[in-house]
Structures are given as C-alpha cells and as structure tokens.
Amino acid sequence: MVRPRGSKRDGVAEIFDDPPESPPDREKGVAGALTLMRGLEVLGRVAKGDNSLPKIARALDLNKSTVHRLAATLVDYGFLSFTQRDGYALGTRLLELGHAASRQITLIRVAHDQLVRLAADTGDTVNLGVLDGYQVHYIDKIPGTRRIEVRCVIGERQYLRPTALGKALLLDEDQEKLREVYLREARDFPNYKYDLKTWLELMKVYRDGGYALDMDENEDLIRCVAAPIRNIQNQIVGAISISSAAQYVDDERLKILTDYVKETALAVSRDLCFQG
C-alpha cells in the first residue's frame, strides 16, 4: 500500500522527496568528487610554478595521462592557459572569480569574529575603522564589559590626527602626507596635545612598531591602541583599536593590549591573504 505524502507511521512523518541513492549513483558521486579534488590540486601546482605535465604529475603522484585530461578540461573552461613555449599558467577565469570574491569578502565580514574574540579577551571596547576621505570611518564596534563604557557609534567619523585608528591608517604615509594631515586638522582643531614636530616623531615610532596610540588625545581620560589591517598587496585597508578608560590602562597593561591588537590585526590581514 502506498501512503500519501506526509502521512505518519508511529508518530513520524515519512519523507519521500529524496529517495535513497542507488549504489551506482553513489559511486558516480564519489568519482566526481575525486575528479574535482584532483583538478583543484592541479590548479594548486600550477599556481606554485609547475608548468608542465611531468612536473605536475610528479608532484601529485599521478600518471601523465590523468594530469593531461584534467589540465585540458581546465584549459577548456579558462581556469588554465597553455602555450607550447611557456606551458601551463593560471587562466583568466580565475581573475574573474578572484574579483567576485574580493567584492563579497568585505572587511566587516572577515574581521567581525576576531573583534568579538578580542573584546571578550580584554573586556574593552573594540573598533574597526577605515579611511574615508580625510577621516576615519567607524564601521564595526564590539562593546566592552567594563563599568565605564567608551562612547563610539558605528557610522561616525573622527579626525585622523588624534585617534589611534586614524594614526594606524596613516602608518604607510610619507612625511609630506603626514604634515598635510596635521596642518589640515589643525585649522579645525587647534588645541591639540602635540605640536607638529612631536607628532611626526611619534608617527615614526608607531610606524616602526606597527601600532598607534591615542593617549587622552581625542577624548579626556580615554586611551586607545590600534594596529593596521593589510591586504594581499601589503596595503593598509583598515585598522582595529582597543579603547578603554584611562583608569583601566596603565603602562604595563598598554603593552599587553598592544600585543593583543597587533595579533588580531595580523590574523585578519592573513584572512585577506596578506603574506607578511
């Protein structure tokens, strides 16, 4: 007797949408997955510089006829290219996929879990910022758990010169660019803690150390430490900061927080394919 779809036996609804695979179907699925994995391995070897069938076959411990079949299919679909003179190279289809991936892998998406972990480890407020014109744009925030909470709103913009995030975003800039930033912001914010000479000297220290500080510069009794996030081209694309009330950040703890934020920024950078 055939039961209607959704009828019950022993209190459990029977599901008929996906009948069990037959043994031949399962075998085809396994073979297809194995072929796919081998094709990806061939791409990986070409990416590492193996440009001929013998080199690829030797590296993957496959016979040359198998490698030739896989490589020919990859060439047909644009994932590899081939010339008699140069052998195999990565194809233009990978450029298209890479460009699509770069649009989908946003900085917030990549960094968020790391920010959550950093806030949990330190108990302090953690911010993610990017350069937006002449300002730092706060694009993500994880609140701290301390009694005194540092004020920060996702979407707000701040000056570059006094903030730890702003300074971290400027670490690759030359003296002329830094001078320009300082003088431009001095017109709107003249009563700053440091003169130009001192600020430039601090920026050199920060550049050498790979971090930046805000020591009660942007807001009274608030201290921050930040580190830059880099992409595969070694370009600074964002920065992470830890912010806390000064009473929670003495000199010893500041050193600890600096290590924390640098490690987190490096982890996010590596997720963006930074090789450093």
Side-chain angles (χ1 to χ4, degrees):
M1 175 179 175
V2 178
R3 289 181 172 81
R5 188 182 303 273
S7 67
K8 296 183 178 180
R9 183 175 64 185
D10 298 329
V12 179
E14 293 192 43
I15 300 173
F16 297 90
D17 293 335
D18 297 307
E21 288 185 341
S22 64
D25 288 337
R26 283 197 297 272
E27 290 174 6
K28 289 179 182 177
V30 171
L34 182 59
T35 300
L36 174 61
M37 287 188 292
R38 284 178 172 172
L40 293 174
E41 288 175 342
V42 169
L43 281 176
R45 294 314 309 177
V46 174
K48 292 182 178 180
D50 293 343
N51 62 348
S52 67
L53 288 178
K55 288 181 180 178
I56 299 170
R58 186 164 52 251
L60 298 179
D61 195 23
L62 296 173
N63 61 60
K64 285 192 286 186
S65 62
T66 298
V67 172
H68 181 267
R69 185 175 69 252
L70 293 168
T73 301
L74 291 169
V75 169
D76 288 342
Y77 282 87
F79 292 101
L80 289 179
S81 64
F82 178 79
T83 64
Q84 291 292 340
R85 187 184 70 177
D86 299 322
Y88 291 99
L90 297 181
T92 55
R93 180 68 177 137
L94 293 175
L95 287 175
E96 296 172 15
L97 292 177
H99 182 63
S102 69
R103 294 198 306 267
Q104 294 176 18
I105 301 174
T106 67
L107 187 56
I108 297 174
R109 181 177 173 184
V110 171
H112 185 78
D113 288 348
Q114 296 280 6
L115 304 183
V116 171
R117 190 174 301 113
L118 182 59
D121 288 343
T122 63
D124 298 308
T125 299
V126 175
N127 297 299
L128 177 67
V130 296
L131 190 63
D132 184 10
Y134 294 146
Q135 296 176 308
V136 54
H137 182 197
Y138 289 71
I139 61 174
D140 201 3
K141 170 192 174 180
I142 310 299
T145 56
R146 300 191 181 279
R147 184 173 59 87
I148 300 176
E149 172 67 21
V150 176
R151 184 198 68 81
C152 178
V153 179
I154 295 175
E156 77 173 344
R157 290 165 173 80
Q158 294 278 356
Y159 287 106
L160 298 171
R161 183 181 60 166
T163 59
L165 278 177
K167 295 188 194 80
L169 291 167
L170 295 171
L171 288 184
D172 284 350
E173 302 294 346
D174 58 26
Q175 286 280 95
E176 182 178 349
K177 177 66 175 180
L178 295 177
R179 183 185 299 272
E180 176 189 322
V181 169
Y182 185 99
L183 295 176
R184 181 178 60 246
E185 296 191 1
R187 292 193 291 269
D188 299 326
F189 184 25
N191 299 320
Y192 181 49
K193 183 174 183 177
Y194 302 116
D195 60 25
L196 174 59
K197 181 176 182 295
T198 303
W199 189 76
L200 291 175
E201 290 172 350
L202 283 172
M203 289 300 293
K204 184 179 185 307
V205 173
Y206 296 154
R207 182 185 299 110
D208 292 343
Y211 69 94
L213 301 179
D214 167 4
M215 301 296 285
D216 313 300
E217 300 166 50
N218 195 47
E219 294 186 40
D220 291 339
L221 302 179
I222 299 296
R223 294 184 173 181
C224 309
V225 56
I229 298 168
R230 297 180 181 275
N231 63 12
I232 191 171
Q233 288 87 26
N234 196 29
Q235 300 165 330
I236 295 177
V237 294
I240 297 171
S241 72
I242 300 173
S243 303
S244 191
Q247 67 190 67
Y248 303 127
V249 188
D250 58 19
D251 290 346
E252 182 178 352
R253 187 161 189 268
L254 185 62
K255 294 178 182 177
I256 295 171
L257 294 181
T258 299
D259 290 339
Y260 267 115
V261 76
K262 288 175 65 176
E263 289 172 4
T264 302
L266 179 59
V268 175
S269 298
R270 286 179 173 162
D271 287 340
L272 295 173
C273 299
F274 172 63
Q275 299 297 315

